[in-house]
């Protein structure tokens, strides 16, 4: 099983120590990025007309490469202590998020469309492999900091989100009351009014729906000003989180062997 | 009065220690959420046509449940030391914000509309009971931090709000002067011009009202750039507040009995 | 000169210790607020039609009161050590910003319009007296903190503003190049294109001017994303300023006599 | 070579110690600013009609002055230890960013247009010389702080940008799927849909492209709310950076000779 071990080290090794592993992973990431670009350009009518056949050929080649990669991973994953049982282990690997994304990127090609939706776009999710590559190297620390802050502050952020949701419902109910009669087309019911509430709270303000009555404008002013709070609160929370993280990091030291942080 | 005590412990107990209390409260919160959803969906014409009678039946059931709950609370509140006098105590309970919201959620059903407004939407306020439920459990700390920061920084935030209000008035008066002649329909008077000022200061920018003269555009540019300050100031204030809170919390310890923070 | 001293203590005393001083100042602030409200409502056509004469009478009364107040201040200011010379001292008082605003609030009434502009709106500036009143009392500390932070960070904020101005010019010049031919009406020259640049950099986005060419959209995307930086930079600067201020305040103590902060 | 040394000290000396150097540099910056203003005003049709010849004369004068300045710099740069070899040194100077900008500001005048683009606008980049002047004097510290924070936090900021780019692609692909059929004109292909994604993520929201289907509105709501995160994350990162910078600066002292910071 020397070959299987070599394949796993090349493809699945998260440390990516070997030179071959780096080359293979760089090639894969390049292929993913090119393929996503091809899918995006393929939707442009003029490009499709001129390069349609070329794009299809590249599509077949990419899916073939991704399929081989997926099968190799599924075969070689048994090398890993977490998945080292012939069937149960491989099944456990197959249901990891990364493996599901890998499958989702190739499956639509074989089953051709599903419910009218072109699932090839799921392939864009594979771009996250780029993030996985960034994990190794200089961006690891930054990624670690951002993830850690989001994790520590998840309760405050969720609470802000929940209050925002509550405000969205109350604002929509009030707005429906005051604007429905003046603009029955724009504010036909509460769910439709939520569209206005989202555009106002996030300060996007497309301008397709806006109040015309004085009462409606006063409600909008209140919602827009509260909308500022929904920029200020998460920003303040995250800002404090980043500072805490910095102070916590200073009170730690790095392991001289793996470079990871150790609490003292 | 054993029954009354049990009812109060189940309904009004803010610690929610008993299993029965948790089940009853979860059921009530679910009923509130479902009822709000029903009221929202009831405004959609197609839903009303098909499920109108079902929604009305659910409405009657909900209001009945809320009425029983309200009366039980009013009866059992005498168990609490704060409200333990037959009439005066119950009156004192009835005028707490939570009790007023509870009453507002059921009263409109009995008095059917009032001044053309459908007051059923007040029921959305009962969703705040969800926040009350969150108080217990893991979100208590996050809620405590956010409330504490908003409380400590209330003066800075109010001041920012007051300056924003002042700027809104001055900007509207200036804008009315420079744009009224060019666009008498869009800027007919100062109160109407405030609508433009709010949309610009909060950077929502619907696009229903905007200046066309050079002077008006220069005023708008100044207001929009100052608008950035009205994001930056509260955000900076809240950010500093969250950091202060963290440092204050570190200098405190938790009471081993109730889990609340004690200053040292 | 006992009367003059009493008038100065009542009107001009910034500490506002006496009861009479508080009553007079509260009355003045109320009159200013009511007058500004009257001027604002006076621009509404329907209000003007029905209450025009009442509003004019109130206008005459207000200006009379403000004129008496201004003359009293000018007469009594000689009590102050800074202005205690018969003519030069009073002139020095008359050119303080507050005195100029006070004069600007009444002068337009006597000289009736000037160059087509209704200068009565300058009166809105007198609302700043409300801020002056806030100075005394509980908001003094918050005002002090915000002013101090803005002062300490003025260089960073000005620099951000300068870079924003530079970006505005460059973005407008580039945008004019790429969009002028496609939309000569919307982007006729660089100064007009700056209107688009302001609306985009501040993320207001009214939607009256937007690019239609691919090149123009790419430039807009770059400007809008840089626009986020112009929220993030001043916010970060102010946030750090507020924290510094808190830490600096902790290392200070308050004078037991005047309540002001003293560096140690 | 005394003259060459004097020229270099006057033009290229970054410390700008001599009085003559300050005068010459102030004159150059004024000429750059005036020239940029003239180019901007020259695009306005009515100004061009009336002052066209004057503007052209000023253009010729400015370019002549800039050309003399450029040649003098190129000749005198050999005084600097970095460029003190007759040809190679001067070439090395010519490829510094500042020298390229200087050349780009004059070259278009001689080669008259290039590929339909009026390259005179590149001259706006010379405005950066104003920043170079600001380097000396009181803004040096602020510039140093902002640059240092952006440098220290570059990885976190780049990561945020990368995630934003990823989200932009995924959001566009999803949006194209759900809105293409309902609005084939507005969402013809994925690259065009990216225009909507940028306008929504940055909360600019011009209102030229917006969803009309329920699915599209739900996707938009998700993207707009995530857009808030793209204000909050960099703001939090920069805020923490500014605080770190302040703390780092406190642990340093200034060199008594050059005023630069020294780590202790």
């Amino acid at each position: 099983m020397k070959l299987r071990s070599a394949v796993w080290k090349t493809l699945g090794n998260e440390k990516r120590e070997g030179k071959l592993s780096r080359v293979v992973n760089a090639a894969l990431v390049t292929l993913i990025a090119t393929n996503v670009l091809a899918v995006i350009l393929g939707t442009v009518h003029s490009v499709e007309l001129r390069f349609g056949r070329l794009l299809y050929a590249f599509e077949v080649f990419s899916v073939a490469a991704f399929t081989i990669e997926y099968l190799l991973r599924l075969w070689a994953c048994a090398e890993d202590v977490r998945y080292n049982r012939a069937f149960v282990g491989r099944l456990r690997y197959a249901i990891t998020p990364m493996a599901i994304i890998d499958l989702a990127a190739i499956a639509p090609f074989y089953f051709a469309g599903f419910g009218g939706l072109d699932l090839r776009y799921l392939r864009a999710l594979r771009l996250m492999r780029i993030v996985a590559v960034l994990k190794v190297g200089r961006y690891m620390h930054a990624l670690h900091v951002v993830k850690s802050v989001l994790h520590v502050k998840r309760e405050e952020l969720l609470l802000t989100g929940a209050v925002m949701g509550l405000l969205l419902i109350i604002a929509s109910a009030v707005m429906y009351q005051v604007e429905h009669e003046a603009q029955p087309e724009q504010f036909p019911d509460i769910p439709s009014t939520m569209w206005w509430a989202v555009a106002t709270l996030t300060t996007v303000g497309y301008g397709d729906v806006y109040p015309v009555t004085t009462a409606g404008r006063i409600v909008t002013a209140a919602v827009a000003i509260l909308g500022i709070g929904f920029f200020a609160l998460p920003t303040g929370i995250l800002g404090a989180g980043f500072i805490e993280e910095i102070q916590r990091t200073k009170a730690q030291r790095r392991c001289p062997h793996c470079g990871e942080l150790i609490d003292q």
Side-chain angles (χ1 to χ4, degrees), chain A:
Chain A
M1 285 300 176
K2 260 187 160 176
L3 179 66
R4 203 174 75 177
S5 169
V7 167
W8 186 244
K9 266 192 182 149
T10 306
L11 279 178
N13 182 2
E14 294 190 350
K15 295 265 171 58
R16 247 161 279 249
E17 274 153 358
K19 201 180 172 181
L20 181 69
S21 174
R22 277 184 204 165
V23 170
V24 169
N25 274 286
L28 271 172
V29 163
T30 309
L31 189 61
I32 293 170
T34 320
N35 185 256
V36 167
L37 192 71
V39 171
I40 287 174
L41 288 176
T43 64
V44 183
H45 193 62
S46 59
V47 171
E48 178 63 27
L49 276 181
R50 286 187 64 183
F51 305 104
R53 290 182 65 174
L54 188 71
L55 287 174
Y56 185 74
F58 182 61
E59 171 81 7
V60 172
F61 168 72
S62 306
V63 170
F66 293 159
T67 307
I68 291 163
E69 181 208 348
Y70 181 75
L71 294 176
L72 280 176
R73 275 184 207 273
L74 204 63
W75 169 61
C77 72
E79 288 292 319
D80 195 300
V81 284
R82 288 171 295 176
Y83 319 118
N84 68 353
R85 284 170 61 198
F87 184 77
V88 182
R90 284 197 171 97
L91 198 70
R92 208 181 288 154
Y93 172 77
I95 56 166
T96 59
M98 268 303 185
I100 290 170
I101 289 173
D102 288 356
L103 185 62
I106 47 172
F109 182 82
Y110 298 109
F111 300 102
F114 189 69
L117 288 171
D118 188 344
L119 293 172
R120 281 186 308 160
Y121 300 108
L122 285 172
R123 218 169 287 166
L125 290 173
R126 282 214 83 190
L127 283 175
M128 285 201 279
R129 260 203 194 275
I130 293 169
V131 178
V133 168
L134 290 178
K135 258 188 197 159
V136 193
R138 30 199 300 245
Y139 289 91
M140 193 193 75
H141 179 59
L143 197 72
H144 179 81
V145 167
V146 172
K147 267 175 69 181
S148 167
V149 167
L150 289 176
H151 182 77
V152 168
K153 295 292 169 191
R154 70 192 179 288
E155 288 179 14
E156 270 101 333
L157 293 174
L158 275 173
L159 196 76
T160 308
V163 174
M164 195 176 174
L166 199 64
L167 182 66
L168 208 124
I169 292 170
I170 294 173
S172 299
V174 172
M175 198 64 177
Y176 170 72
Q177 284 277 304
V178 298
E179 280 284 323
H180 175 61
E181 233 164 279
Q183 300 190 86
E185 293 289 311
Q186 309 288 339
F187 298 90
D189 44 55
I190 295 182
S192 297
T193 308
M194 280 179 186
W195 170 242
W196 157 86
V198 165
T200 304
L201 262 181
T202 59
T203 79
V204 169
Y206 287 119
D208 54 337
V209 189
Y210 52 82
V212 292
T213 66
T214 303
R217 288 180 166 187
I218 289 166
V219 172
T220 303
V223 170
I225 288 163
L226 282 170
I228 293 179
F230 286 104
F231 280 89
L233 265 182
T235 305
I237 290 166
L238 289 176
F242 278 107
I243 289 155
E244 256 190 302
E245 182 66 26
I246 289 160
Q247 286 168 352
R248 205 169 62 79
T249 310
K250 273 181 187 158
Q252 289 176 324
R253 59 185 188 85
R254 287 191 176 276
C255 164
H257 306 294
C258 70
E260 287 290 330
L261 292 166
I262 312 155
D263 279 313
Q264 279 181 322

